[in-house]
Amino acid sequence: MQHTAKHTTLRSALCRGLCIALLAGASFAEAETARDFLGRFEAEARSQAAGFAASASRGANFFKVTHGNDWTCASCHSDNPAGTGKHARTGKPIEPLAPAANPDRFARADKVEKWFKRNCGDVLGRACTPAEKADVVAWLMIVKN
Amino acid sequence: MNEAVDDPDAPDHIQRIKVWDLPTRVFHWLLVASVAGAWLTRTSERWHDVHMMFGHTVGGLILFRIVWGFAGSYYARFESFDCTPQRVLSYLAGLLRGRPRRSVGHSPAGAAMALLFLALGLFIAGSGIAVLREWGGETLAGLHALVAKGMLVLIGLHVLAVVLSAAVLRIDLVRPMFTGRKTGFHRERIGRWRTGVGISLLVAVLGYWVADRTGVLGEDGKTRRHETSVERR
């Protein structure tokens, strides 16, 4: 079959467009790091309190204390989140939370959002503020085995 | 219209007759409670063990219902389910014309819906147990949640159908699911309520719930063999 010059140009344009769309879609869903999330939460926190800077030591404290209920983050994720945690209700093992110990953590925005929403509800009885999330992520980033 | 109950001397009179045996009714309402309970506890870590309890219950109830679909009274048995695609479509067409074909037991649409519920419920319970035992991972957990949402849609349709049936067709489908009786001919009735099986099912499920909540059962529903540091309420 003979390709006219017009067909070839159209097809390669479509291919290029599809490639760009796929790459854009892929990078939108993937390829995030803990640092990306830290930056995002810090920016959100600054919109509420100018000059906010995340603090890992504040994050460490936040992670280990109770917040009006009987659970802490550490109740399930352990005081050392680079190790395996254990579900406080069912006893089921929980994969490490620190990104240095587990590359699956803080890699996808939908998952980060889902688990913050769910577990802040369990521990705090409310949503975590961007500042709290920033502090926690800042600490988790430096936790190693 | 003769309102006499189970009058053997009037076989061609419309009467209040036994249609839904007790196990079927007990199954239905325990399933409603379990699905509702499982849905409400679906995102809570604090109530995750309750979620699993209800999930196990749904699985067990559906397995019972499948057995009962072969061993139960006539309208509970699958052989009485007249739900080929043609039948369902012709029933729905009749419904839209305002002249639905009368069924003593499940209508074709009702029967199709029931089978769908059993299939979906079994998948949701099974996938939940698989995820619990680390057999499926992320993908299966995602499917579990997705199919559960599908089940919710189906439940919405089911409730809508029941409401419309009452409002438009003036047929009350809720009361028979409690009393077991519908209006029909004497010869259409089932013989026995199967009360023994019905009560046994109720006791078994309630007993399981009590045992699970009081900590008699271990984390995965088996008898506790050792003390754990897991919090008990």
Side-chain angles (χ1 to χ4, degrees), chain B residues 76-100:
Chain B
R77 291 205 300 271
F78 297 135
E79 63 177 293
S80 73
F81 283 25
D82 193 13
C83 54
T84 62
Q86 299 93 313
R87 273 277 195 246
V88 174
L89 287 172
S90 94
Y91 172 78
L92 291 174
L95 202 62
L96 287 170
R97 279 199 300 271
R99 276 195 310 267

Side-chain angles (χ1 to χ4, degrees), chain A residues 3-76:
Chain A
H3 289 99
T4 63
K6 190 177 165 194
H7 275 179
T8 310
T9 314
L10 179 64
R11 207 172 55 180
S12 63
L14 281 173
C15 280
R16 235 175 293 147
L18 186 62
C19 286
I20 292 169
L22 282 172
L23 279 169
S27 61
F28 187 71
E30 295 281 345
E32 305 234 50
T33 65
R35 186 162 299 282
D36 294 326
F37 289 103
L38 175 64
R40 189 179 309 162
F41 294 140
E42 272 192 319
E44 280 176 42
R46 279 193 207 106
S47 74
Q48 290 158 14
F52 171 82
S55 153
S57 62
R58 226 176 17 225
N61 182 62
F62 181 89
F63 199 85
K64 295 173 190 180
V65 301
T66 58
H67 298 271
N69 294 311
D70 52 338
W71 280 9
T72 67
C73 308
S75 300
C76 288

Side-chain angles (χ1 to χ4, degrees), chain B residues 86-164:
Chain B
Q86 299 93 313
R87 273 277 195 246
V88 174
L89 287 172
S90 94
Y91 172 78
L92 291 174
L95 202 62
L96 287 170
R97 279 199 300 271
R99 276 195 310 267
R101 200 140 165 243
R102 178 189 162 269
S103 314
V104 180
H106 293 96
S107 68
M113 183 77 92
L115 292 177
L116 259 174
F117 273 132
L118 292 185
L120 288 192
L122 206 58
F123 177 83
I124 296 167
S127 60
I129 290 169
V131 168
L132 180 65
R133 288 169 202 245
E134 318 259 6
W135 293 343
E138 282 283 332
T139 326
L140 197 61
L143 266 177
H144 174 85
L146 188 66
V147 178
K149 289 191 185 107
M151 166 85 103
L152 204 68
V153 171
L154 214 63
I155 291 171
L157 285 174
H158 174 61
V159 170
L160 185 67
V162 170
V163 167
L164 287 177

Side-chain angles (χ1 to χ4, degrees), chain B residues 168-224:
Chain B
V168 177
L169 301 175
R170 303 255 170 264
I171 298 174
D172 181 359
L173 292 172
V174 179
R175 191 138 179 260
M177 268 322 280
F178 284 105
T179 66
R181 289 190 186 269
K182 279 184 165 188
T183 307
F185 295 112
H186 181 71
R187 59 182 148 74
E188 290 173 323
R189 78 199 186 289
I190 60 172
R192 297 178 290 144
W193 285 130
R194 311 296 288 273
T195 313
V197 175
I199 304 246
S200 304
L201 179 64
L202 183 64
V203 167
V205 170
L206 293 179
Y208 167 59
W209 287 351
V210 167
D212 190 87
R213 292 288 82 220
T214 57
V216 168
L217 296 174
E219 279 131 35
D220 50 7
K222 299 189 174 66
T223 310
R224 189 165 64 179

